[in-house]
Amino acid sequence: MDRVAIVTGAARGIGAATVRELGRAGWAVVAVDRAADDPRLPYALGTSQELRELARERVEVLQGDAASEEVLREAVAIADRAFGGLDAFVAAAGVIAGGVPLWEMPGAEVEAVLEVDLLAVVAAARVAVPALLRRPAPRDGRFIAIASSASGRGLPMLAAYCAAKAGVTGLIRGLAAELRGTGITANAVSPGSTRTPILDESARLYGLESAEAFAAQAPIERLLEPAEVASLIAWLAGPGGRGTTGAELPFDGGLSV
């Protein structure tokens, strides 16, 4: 039987790398992304072309808002129809905004950050968990959310982002407790500075010449690659991650040391 995953935020960055890594590990995947710009945000998001490039045998793509329960139910329906069910959900959709103190940040940007980075994970849990529970016992399901090293730190001019990511880790702990005895685990992965468009936007917000400036903050003294983060996500989704639940796993090059 196919192991089947849904991945949101799939058009680029960690989401796209996760789709590819799960594919290499033999998973069937439904890749979901807005694949269009958000008028509330001042930078470009992933494109429909980037999303379509993921499509191949055993990878279905769906263009839609990851914060919409209706879109997520459609993704589950595709997983059921094309692959026979759902075994893992990876909530990787994310955006960033800020660059000014919270009280000076446009309300639309605050809304976008909280909606995409936190409420979309809530929506994912509400839709995905019932689908994961439809697998017969003893089941082996996974709910994995991408948080951030910002979840446990106070970053100036990124207060809304910090709040959203801290909310994700709290959600995961509560969800893991609610999933007791079901055979389904819930975990968060908290990457540090990873070479993604979000990091490029972070550099712009801080007035840095490039995202490479963040490399010096971590003991490994380099940026992480999306594929490296994806390897941890794939491990969590696989047999090795069976004993881990309710955890926030830092993957930050030692930033939290």
Side-chain angles (χ1 to χ4, degrees):
M1 181 176 67
D2 280 335
R3 291 283 285 171
V4 184
I6 294 171
V7 179
T8 65
R12 63 185 188 183
I14 292 170
T18 299
V19 172
R20 296 186 181 103
E21 183 65 25
L22 289 174
R24 281 191 289 269
W27 288 70
V29 182
V30 180
V32 182
D33 200 284
R34 176 190 179 95
D37 289 343
D38 187 328
R40 298 171 296 182
L41 297 170
Y43 70 101
L45 302 185
T47 66
S48 58
Q49 176 62 31
E50 289 172 313
L51 181 63
R52 287 195 301 270
E53 286 172 358
L54 293 170
R56 57 182 56 84
E57 186 179 2
R58 292 167 56 81
V59 176
E60 298 282 336
V61 301
L62 172 63
Q63 184 169 350
D65 189 343
S68 164
E69 290 192 14
E70 181 179 356
V71 168
L72 297 177
R73 283 192 291 270
E74 184 177 354
V76 168
I78 292 170
D80 286 339
R81 183 172 63 250
F83 306 121
L86 184 68
D87 302 285
F89 193 105
V90 181
V95 298
I96 199 163
V100 294
L102 180 64
W103 56 92
E104 296 178 11
M105 192 173 167
E109 291 187 9
V110 175
E111 178 186 77
V113 169
L114 295 178
E115 179 182 292
V116 179
D117 293 347
L118 176 56
L119 295 182
V121 185
V122 174
R126 286 170 50 80
V127 173
V129 170
L132 294 168
L133 286 169
R134 287 200 289 272
R135 289 295 201 198
R139 61 183 68 83
D140 192 27
R142 305 284 190 273
F143 186 88
I144 302 168
I146 307 306
S148 168
S149 58
S151 67
R153 306 178 70 203
L155 300 180
M157 300 191 291
L158 289 176
Y161 183 77
C162 292
K165 293 302 187 178
V168 169
T169 60
L171 173 68
I172 286 297
R173 287 191 292 271
L175 193 59
E178 291 177 348
L179 288 168
R180 172 188 288 268
T182 64
I184 300 167
T185 63
N187 292 287
V189 173
S190 285
S193 296
T194 307
R195 198 184 306 277
T196 64
I198 281 182
L199 195 67
D200 292 336
E201 177 64 4
S202 300
R204 187 191 70 81
L205 292 172
Y206 279 122
L208 301 174
E209 187 172 328
S210 79
E212 290 296 332
F214 292 113
Q217 295 179 345
I220 63 171
E221 296 187 339
R222 66 172 178 84
L223 300 182
L224 297 163
E225 300 296 333
E228 294 178 287
V229 184
S231 69
L232 176 57
I233 295 167
W235 176 82
L236 270 177
R242 187 173 289 128
T244 301
T245 195
E248 177 189 2
L249 283 75
F251 198 88
D252 59 11
L255 187 63
S256 53
V257 169

